[in-house]
């Protein structure tokens, strides 16, 4: 029986600000990328998110980002690799403590936003993230864009690797994600996203913007948790996959 | 042979800002209270401080404070006990990760500044801090003002306790510290501080502002690490104590 | 024809986080208290809010708060009066610049949250705010709780004063607001709020929690803009007052 | 009699952190670029710096930077031009208010750090800064790297322009500054800096790293205020220039 993980970003509130769909999303995903307080998330929000994920058996990952709350970690910041390494150690440690407090443990690390995008192309940034994970806990899995520098760095650091594909993002013919600045980079039609998710899992293929069929090998599928239709999209994807005989389960055991 | 711990606040830089005496202070203390990024400290500074402390065999403690970098954690902030508990879990977790990365482990937790002062009098705040420590690692020791609510909360949480006395602060006749807002609250004459430290350790006594002799039982002596004369003061205290046959060693084993 | 001002807090988003009702609220109020970046608000949000308020002829006020984004400025912070004065100068200046950029000008200042509550009782804090306003622009009006220390400080600073009453908050028998920590402090029934608003304006009375009828003289009525029913409440209040022959217009000309 | 302005960055403390040479530097420069709270500076520090500058007749400029206190505004951040424009309006407004409070007025704006460096090459970023200045006060002068996009944008915005050259930075043969990441980018020998300053003013020339003599036309000379030898360097430059018959005076009148 084919199995796939479904992951989404969670715990991205801050103080008075809450992104309301968190609990509904936790009901449909198998892995939660929990914000760590730099691009979003505060200790109270993180604690609550970790407890809710643990209660549902959702695998908990740390989702470290740049220290840019104002930009939600989505703006490239010219931090050096040693700075990135220290930022990731700090954030992963904070998440570990909340997992311990909730009687569970942290399973994986996935970089967020602009840090993720940079490290997908930049080996030095990717190595900084992978090294940070390794020195904190070499048993943590490393979730990254399939085929990217993130995955190569995790391999160099001898970490367990999970590769992910994006349900709601357009792919360039070379297999990279189309930048958000380009029209059509984010897919909004749930029916299209559901179809793509199914083909990714069952056929190992995704159609690029120019019609090319690209091979894709994913341990996990990602959809964005902060859009207005995130819950419906994830619910529909899960339902279709289960109907097609695919089991949804955390990649990180 | 009598033994005492000597602790000071360290790692209190932030980005471009550094408090320069850190390494000199690490050469004379036996325990380091390392800032955790809320009232001071950033991931790069913390990592460096932890590595330097580990290299010297100085016991490392987390020094969590209020999220008030602008006020250096020295202004009372009306955070609720659940907020305080989450803030402490977060900060302790971050420090643990840097200790693991440096091949060592975190030994104790001591609250900082206004959070410390509040929790010394306020059982609910003290319990929030002690509970946070307990749920992250019940093996961590808890360092607090001798005889205060901090110590009582640690006892309720069944944590190992270390009580401290202040070398460079004036005591009220009831054994509490004179508030910084009062004249004479901070002692600046190194000779006076050295004498007080010696009497605290050898006689178990300290003279209050009104001349009363107060009994004091301390596992650790604290002097402020951020004053202009911190290094000289700590060096003189250490020298005098060693001359008097006292061994300086971490309370937390 | 009786006239009253209707004010609400606006521009309280931050980066990715937006409080969505802003534009609907601007359609019903006559004065906007615009967050200044310390407790909420960022330059992009502030600019947009000021432009939208100016477009509608809504009077723009600066709404300075404590530097506590995490607590939304609702937690008391032991800042000194000179710190408060500098914080208010800074925030008022920032708002003035956005008003100038939008081709309009700033009309008034109203402190936010815990800073407002403290200064309503604490003359030193109230004087710090009033002095800050005075040294930046003595032509700015000062909006504060009717009968409170805020109003007295504005009088000492020779500022134009507007006094406000709260539509959706319970009053103690002595005319102060019931603290939010007490049950019933915030009124949620729109019908009740609408009745209270009408009596405040037409009869100059408000009923305290114990049934006492208190005299109240208000130039402006405030309702909270961040609750889920803020728009409906404000719309209903405006409609009822207009039906009763009351004109809604800015107090600050 | 030839006249030149001497400018340095000031007010770059934050809370507990102070850069101690500020007052000594104010005694030798004719213009102060005052940090505005984003990359450095807080309301209390800014107020004090503005008052000290005003007392000495030093011309006050706003020195807006990226919102990156942790990186001291020295790391490129991919903010969009509308974000930059809003950030600059906000920061300039805050500085204006402190100038008004001190009985003086703001004279000029100079971007800081990575924002300055980006805008020196990137017309869209430069236009965002210049537009921000124009919409707040078209009477403010605009200080930027001689010959750069900053100066061209100020010309497009019809602002009064002052061009500056750097005493303690190496120049590439094309007239741009050598990036700090390259060896030799910052000059540390005061004698060399003093000679360069003199030649810039008297001969209008500066020697590039490869020995080429470049023409340079500067209204102002800049030296960094945060290095350990800033005071000596600036004092020596001022003395040598005055001895050579050059008058030191603000460019902005």
């Amino acid at each position: 029986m084919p199995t796939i993980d479904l992951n989404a970003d969670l715990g991205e509130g801050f103080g008075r600000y809450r992104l309301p769909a968190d609990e509904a999303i936790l009901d449909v995903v198998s892995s939660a990328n929990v914000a760590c307080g730099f691009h979003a998330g505060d200790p109270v929000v993180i604690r609550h998110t970790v407890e809710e994920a643990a209660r549902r058996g959702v695998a908990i990952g740390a989702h470290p980002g740049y220290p840019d709350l104002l930009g939600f970690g989505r703006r490239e910041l010219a931090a050096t690799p040693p700075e990135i390494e220290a930022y990731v150690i700090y954030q992963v440690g904070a998440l570990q403590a909340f997992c311990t407090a909730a009687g569970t443990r942290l399973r994986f690390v996935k970089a967020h936003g602009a840090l993720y995008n940079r490290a997908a192309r930049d080996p030095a940034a990717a190595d900084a993230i992978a090294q940070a994970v390794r020195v904190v806990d070499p048993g943590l899995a490393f979730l990254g864009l399939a085929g990217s520098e993130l995955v190569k760095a995790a391999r160099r650091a001898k970490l367990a690797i999970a590769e992910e594909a994006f349900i709601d993002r357009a792919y360039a013919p070379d297999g990279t994600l189309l930048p958000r600045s380009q029209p059509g980079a984010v897919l909004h039609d749930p029916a299209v996203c559901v179809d793509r998710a199914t083909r990714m899992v069952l056929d190992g293929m995704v159609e690029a913007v120019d019609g090319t069929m690209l091979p894709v090998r994913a341990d996990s599928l990602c959809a964005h948790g902060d859009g207005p239709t995130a819950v419906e999209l994830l619910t529909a994807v899960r339902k279709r996959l289960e109907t097609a005989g695919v089991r949804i389960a955390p990649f990180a055991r």
Side-chain angles (χ1 to χ4, degrees), chain A:
Chain A
M1 183 172 181
T3 301
I4 191 84
D5 177 57
L6 214 51
N7 79 76
D9 300 350
L10 288 155
E12 294 187 320
F14 187 84
R16 165 79 181 73
Y17 308 112
R18 297 294 162 102
L19 300 182
D22 267 30
E23 302 197 10
I25 291 174
L26 280 171
D27 287 335
V28 286
V29 297
S30 43
S31 291
N33 318 315
V34 182
C36 302
F38 274 40
H39 76 278
D42 72 53
V44 170
V45 167
I46 297 170
R47 186 176 204 184
H48 179 74
T49 307
V50 164
E51 288 172 349
E52 291 296 318
R55 195 189 319 282
R56 288 164 174 84
V58 170
I60 298 168
H63 197 39
Y66 282 131
D68 178 22
L69 180 68
L70 184 49
F72 204 64
R74 286 186 173 157
R75 307 187 291 196
E76 172 53 17
L77 174 72
T80 63
E83 288 171 340
I84 292 171
E85 193 173 325
Y87 295 168
V88 173
I89 292 172
Y90 184 98
Q91 295 180 72
V92 171
L95 255 285
Q96 282 183 317
F98 286 109
C99 288
T100 303
T104 184
R105 64 186 186 75
L106 190 70
R107 301 297 167 126
F108 67 95
V109 176
K110 170 182 166 177
H112 167 83
L115 177 59
Y116 181 97
N117 293 336
R118 169 174 168 191
R121 305 177 310 266
D122 170 359
D127 278 333
I129 302 170
Q131 277 305 315
V133 174
R134 211 181 104 80
V135 295
V136 175
D137 180 358
L140 288 167
F142 195 85
L143 176 57
L145 183 65
S148 73
E149 291 295 334
L150 278 160
V151 169
K152 291 176 197 161
R155 201 162 285 135
R156 285 191 289 274
K158 304 199 192 315
L159 296 170
I161 294 165
E163 306 192 42
E164 69 175 343
F166 286 81
I167 294 174
D168 55 1
R169 290 292 301 273
Y171 280 77
D174 67 353
T176 62
L177 297 179
L178 216 62
R180 270 173 191 266
S181 54
Q182 293 199 22
V186 179
L187 307 177
H188 296 288
D189 182 342
V192 169
C193 296
V194 170
D195 280 345
R196 287 168 77 86
T198 317
R199 296 207 62 183
M200 284 170 171
V201 177
L202 297 184
D203 308 337
M205 303 298 285
V206 65
E207 187 180 334
V209 278
D210 68 344
T212 318
M213 291 308 298
L214 302 168
V216 62
R217 202 201 69 64
D219 305 298
S220 184
L221 299 182
C222 181
H224 293 90
D226 65 331
T229 58
V231 178
E232 295 107 285
L233 173 59
L234 283 160
T235 306
V237 165
R238 181 173 188 129
K239 199 169 167 188
R240 170 80 76 83
L241 288 171
E242 287 178 337
T243 304
V246 178
R247 195 173 141 256
I248 310 296
F251 68 83
R253 258 141 302 236

